[in-house]
């Protein structure tokens, strides 16, 4: 219940409420860590309330949310701003890159690049040391002749980016035998086991200290500088000038070795992001010892059931959020699909065409549909509900139309012969006979909606997808299961409850044979 009330509150309270700052992040751990540091610093040094929307699905989703006011600030990298967002060619001088993105972002969107945090997190290519020594590889240029015989495991975003694989192929002429899209943690494990030959890495990734990998030199200086900095909406800085002063306290506060150490604590030692962020700020004397410290989190290396029990409060909240998202989406689907099915049954000529058009929504990948909602609705619960509503329509519409169309034609004709009106026939014959078929469509839609709602975590809408996404980033099975198992139980529970409703609406005499 608390999750549903929280969802209703988030829908009724705009993200740009006067005393609320919404901090976002991308869906990798360093970006989450920096965003959490921003959030805790704002909470410690201002009277502002902070809302966190962490783990958004990549650069474009984060930046679109920033432009539309769904979030107020998030950590970004100058090279990403130059190449991925502005669409310009890479430059090598870090000052030139920073000045360029500052000028263009202010001019186009009134978005400010704050002073860099003190480190770059660049892309690089790496492979196992024994493999590099065998092949004599030291630079990316050395790869050109052996790449056609190599299997590469690259991040999904890296594969598509101009400052990633696309540009690398143009600059170096690299052509691999096979390129596999993989999640960050899994790439390290697969390369270490020899399942892939090469991976892309972040230069501040703590796992480079754990795995015996060689980072190849970018001898043509393809990758631009990637200085980390806070990206903030100008409107929010005008409203709260103290925000800029607080964020500037992190100027040049973090160097690459320090970031690798912090990342390692999260990635390999399993320390929670809030605790690592708090200790980093405390080491910089930016928060006091008496400032509220994030509560200790359960060790995910424990056996699953004790771990699940230790997370019960958070999982209860996430389940409430998940149920709220699914329920709103399904309710809107029922509200639209059943009346539309009734109308199409009366206008059968164009019915199949309209149903097929609605069915085309099912062919849009879920995460893409969620991303399409962001320019219209921002991030959070509302775009997730709109996307879930669109996904829920087809099964209910199809079953409503088919159930009404095929509802005992002989009985319908008998009713007409007895002088019954079409409304009377619909109310007393067709709808009761079609009710089990309609309910079957609603049950199918409910299962799909609960399952798809896990992806809402990628646009900051919460739900049981939050631990699943975090678990995938950390390759933490217990964390993944702590979201996946309740989602499965929730789907089965909803289906069971709707099954009882189906029995209740089924006309007597139509009970299935046992």
């Amino acid at each position: 219940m608390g999750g549903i009330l929280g969802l209703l509150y988030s829908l009724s309270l705009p993200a740009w409420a006067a005393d609320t700052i919404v901090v976002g992040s991308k869906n990798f751990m360093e970006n989450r860590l920096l965003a959490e540091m921003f959030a805790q610093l704002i909470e410690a040094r201002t009277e502002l309330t902070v809302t966190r929307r962490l783990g958004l699905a990549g650069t474009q989703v984060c930046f679109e949310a920033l432009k539309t006011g769904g979030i107020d600030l998030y950590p970004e990298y100058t090279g990403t701003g130059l190449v991925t967002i502005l669409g310009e060619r890479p430059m090598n001088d870090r000052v030139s890159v920073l000045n360029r993105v500052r000028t263009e972002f202010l001019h186009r969107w009134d978005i400010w690049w704050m002073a860099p945090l003190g480190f770059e997190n660049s892309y690089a290519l790496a492979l196992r040391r024994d493999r590099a020594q065998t092949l004599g590889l030291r630079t990316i240029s050395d790869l050109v002749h052996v790449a056609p015989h190599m299997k590469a495991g690259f991040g999904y975003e890296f594969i598509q980016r101009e400052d990633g694989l696309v540009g690398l192929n143009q600059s170096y002429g690299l052509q691999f035998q096979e390129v596999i899209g993989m999640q960050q943690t899994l790439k390290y494990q697969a390369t270490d086991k020899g399942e892939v030959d090469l991976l892309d890495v972040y230069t501040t990734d703590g796992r480079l200290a754990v795995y015996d990998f060689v980072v190849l030199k970018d001898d043509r200086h393809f990758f631009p500088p990637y200085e980390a900095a806070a990206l903030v909406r100008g409107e929010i800085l005008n409203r709260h000038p103290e925000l800029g002063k607080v964020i500037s306290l992190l100027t040049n506060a973090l160097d690459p070795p320090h970031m690798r150490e912090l990342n390692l604590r999260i990635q390999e030692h399993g320390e929670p992001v809030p605790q690592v962020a708090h200790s980093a700020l405390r080491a910089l004397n930016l928060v006091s010892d008496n400032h509220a410290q994030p509560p200790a989190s359960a060790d995910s290396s424990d056996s699953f059931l004790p771990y699940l029990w230790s997370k019960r409060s958070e999982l209860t909240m996430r389940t409430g959020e998940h149920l709220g998202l699914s329920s709103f989406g399904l309710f809107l689907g029922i509200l639209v699909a059943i009346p539309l099915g009734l109308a199409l049954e009366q206008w059968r000529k164009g019915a199949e065409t309209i149903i097929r058009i609605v069915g085309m929504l099912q062919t849009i990948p879920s995460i893409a549909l969620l991303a399409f909602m962001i320019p219209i609705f921002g991030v959070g619960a509302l775009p997730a509900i709109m996307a879930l509503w669109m996904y829920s329509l087809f099964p209910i519409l199809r079953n409503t139309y088919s159930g009404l169309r095929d509802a005992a034609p002989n009985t319908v004709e008998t009713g007409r012969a007895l002088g019954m009106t079409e409304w009377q026939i619909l109310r007393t014959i067709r709808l009761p006979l079609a009710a089990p078929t309609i309910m079957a469509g609603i049950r199918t839609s409910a299962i799909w909606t609960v399952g798809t709602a896990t992806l809402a975590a990628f646009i900051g809408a919460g739900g049981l997808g939050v631990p699943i996404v975090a678990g995938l980033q950390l390759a933490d099975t217990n964390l993944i299961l702590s979201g996946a198992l309740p989602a499965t139980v929730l789907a089965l529970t909803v289906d069971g409850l709707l099954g009882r409703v189906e029995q209740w609406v089924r006309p007597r005499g139509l009970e299935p044979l046992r």
Side-chain angles (χ1 to χ4, degrees), residues 244-325:
K245 297 176 182 178
V246 168
I247 296 297
S248 68
L249 292 173
L250 287 172
T251 300
N252 292 325
L254 303 167
D255 58 23
H258 191 190
M259 281 310 304
R260 279 192 287 270
E261 177 192 345
L262 296 176
N263 287 329
L264 183 65
R265 289 170 59 184
I266 298 169
Q267 295 163 345
E268 294 296 322
H269 301 163
E271 293 186 48
V273 170
Q275 291 184 33
V276 174
H278 186 271
S279 68
L281 291 173
R282 190 175 55 194
L284 294 168
N285 293 317
L286 295 178
V287 298
S288 59
D289 289 338
N290 57 5
H291 180 66
Q293 185 170 354
S297 182
D299 185 354
S300 62
S301 64
D302 292 342
S303 58
F304 180 63
L305 289 180
Y307 175 73
L308 199 64
W309 176 252
S310 69
K311 304 279 285 185
R312 61 190 182 279
S313 297
E314 179 185 349
L315 290 177
T316 299
M317 178 192 71
R318 296 299 181 194
T319 301
E321 293 172 346
H322 203 96
L323 182 60
L325 293 169

Side-chain angles (χ1 to χ4, degrees), residues 221-244:
H221 306 289
F222 165 73
F223 293 115
Y226 293 88
E227 291 190 286
L231 207 53
V232 190
R233 292 196 302 125
E235 179 186 352
I236 207 70
L237 285 175
N238 290 334
R239 189 181 301 145
H240 298 291
E242 71 273 25
L243 187 63

Side-chain angles (χ1 to χ4, degrees), residues 190-243:
T191 306
D192 189 51
K193 294 177 181 178
E195 296 170 355
V196 298
D197 300 300
L198 188 78
L199 77 160
D200 65 293
V201 298
Y202 300 125
T203 53
T204 56
D205 199 323
R207 284 168 291 213
L208 288 174
V210 176
Y211 292 90
D212 189 22
F213 290 167
V214 169
V215 175
L216 299 179
K217 181 181 179 182
D218 179 17
D219 52 309
R220 295 188 181 178
H221 306 289
F222 165 73
F223 293 115
Y226 293 88
E227 291 190 286
L231 207 53
V232 190
R233 292 196 302 125
E235 179 186 352
I236 207 70
L237 285 175
N238 290 334
R239 189 181 301 145
H240 298 291
E242 71 273 25
L243 187 63

Side-chain angles (χ1 to χ4, degrees), residues 106-172:
L106 277 172
H107 174 69
R108 298 188 192 187
W109 304 294
D110 189 28
I111 291 175
W112 290 69
W113 284 86
M114 305 303 291
L117 305 178
F119 71 94
E120 290 184 32
N121 184 7
S122 179
Y123 277 123
L125 300 184
L127 71 165
R128 278 178 19 186
R129 185 174 302 277
D130 59 345
R131 186 91 165 117
Q133 291 173 346
T134 300
L135 297 174
L137 302 179
R138 294 183 298 104
T139 68
I140 298 179
S141 290
D142 294 338
L143 276 176
V144 174
H145 299 298
V146 297
H149 307 290
M150 299 182 80
K151 183 186 296 185
F154 292 150
Y156 299 104
E157 189 171 340
F158 182 83
I159 291 172
Q160 304 296 328
R161 287 172 58 143
E162 290 293 333
D163 55 340
L165 182 60
V166 175
L168 271 175
N169 288 344
Q170 296 172 354
S171 179
Y172 284 94

Side-chain angles (χ1 to χ4, degrees), residues 344-345 348 351-352 355 397-405:
L344 292 178
E345 197 280 330
R348 296 188 181 184
E352 285 296 333
I355 292 172
L397 177 60
R398 165 60 74 188
N399 280 34
T400 299
Y401 173 73
S402 300
L404 291 169
R405 181 194 61 191

